[in-house]
Amino acid sequence: MTPGVRPLVAGNWKMNGLKASLGEIAAMGEAARAGGAGAAELAVCPPATLISQAAALLADGALAVGGQDCHPKGSGPHTGEIAAAMLKDAGASYVIVGHSERRADHGESDALVRAKAEAALAAGLTAIVCVGETRAEREAGRALAVVSGQIRGSLPPVAEPSRIVVAYEPVWAIGTGLTPTAADIAEMHAAIRAWLGEIYGPGGATIRILYGGSVKPANAAELLSLANVDGALVGGASLKAADFLAIAGVYRNT
Ligand code: 13P
C-alpha cells in the first residue's frame, strides 16, 4: 500500500468468457455496490466481445471495465485490431497494454507498448502498463535491469499520473501458482516507485503499482499489504466472482 493512493484490483480475463459468464460480472458489481472492496477500486477486463454488455451491467460505475489490448493507431486498415477509442465507446475506462502474453505471443516491443499506452491516453482511457522479468532473467540476477528497461521504454514520458497504472507481473509467476518472495516483490516495487519519480517527478509517487502473478484469496492479504503494492492484476482467480471478491475483500478493513 502507498499512503494516500486508492488501490485498484483489476481482473484480466484473458481469452476466457462467453455471454454466459456475465453473471460473474454482475455478481462482482453487486458486491462492489455493497462495499465488498472497501475503499479499493475494482475493474474487470473481459474479452472485447463482452465489454459493451459488461459496461451495461455496471453503468453505475460500481466496477470499471477495461480492454486487454489496443492498437496504437486511432483507426484504419488494420484487420482484426481494436482502437482505444472503440474500447472507450464500448464503455471501457481502462486498457491493459504490454501484457507479457502479448509481448511473447506477438513480439510486442517496449516502443510498441508505449505507442499503445499513448493511444489509450489520447482516447481518454487509463493505461495499465505491464512489465516483468522471465525466470531466466531473474535467475541471472537481471530482474531489476530488465524491468527498469521496460519501465523506461514502455511508459509514455509525458502523462497525467492518475491515468497511468503499472502492473509488475513476473512472467514465471503467471498462471503457475508461484509467487516471488515478499522481499523480492517489495524490492521491485520500491525500485519501480523510484523510476516513476525519475520519469514523472513528484507525480510518480501517486501512480498505482499493481502486483500480478498467481494472486489468490489465500495469498492476497500478504501480497497486498506490502509497501508500494497498490493493488493486484488478477488472472485466473478473477474469473469467479467469489475468488475475485475474496481478493478485493482484503481492502474492506483498510
Ligand atoms: P494469474 O493470476 O492467472 O497468474 O495471471 C496473472 C496475469 O497475467 C494477469 O494479467
Side-chain angles (χ1 to χ4, degrees), residues 106-200:
H106 301 274
E108 293 194 2
S109 65
D110 288 334
L112 178 61
V113 175
R114 170 183 283 170
K116 290 180 173 201
E118 286 174 338
L121 299 180
L125 298 172
T126 296
I128 302 176
V129 183
C130 301
V131 295
E133 82 285 356
T134 63
R135 171 174 288 285
E137 289 163 344
R138 177 157 286 273
E139 284 173 356
R142 295 183 50 233
L144 286 165
V146 166
V147 174
S148 169
Q150 291 173 332
I151 290 279
R152 293 175 206 284
S154 306
L155 287 172
V158 178
E160 164 57 44
S162 67
R163 303 269 305 287
I164 295 282
V165 176
V166 172
Y168 168 57
E169 300 203 303
V171 177
W172 53 274
I174 294 176
T176 59
L178 303 172
T179 54
T181 64
D184 284 345
I185 295 174
E187 178 189 46
M188 184 63 79
H189 279 240
I192 293 172
R193 179 69 68 210
W195 299 324
L196 292 175
E198 289 170 22
I199 299 169
Y200 299 110

Side-chain angles (χ1 to χ4, degrees), residues 5 10 27 30 42 49 54 59 74 76-77 87 91 117 120 125 146 176 179 193 203-204 219 226:
V5 172
E30 254 169 62
L42 294 185
T49 47
L87 297 173
L125 298 172
V146 166
T176 59
T179 54
R193 179 69 68 210
N219 61 19
L226 298 171

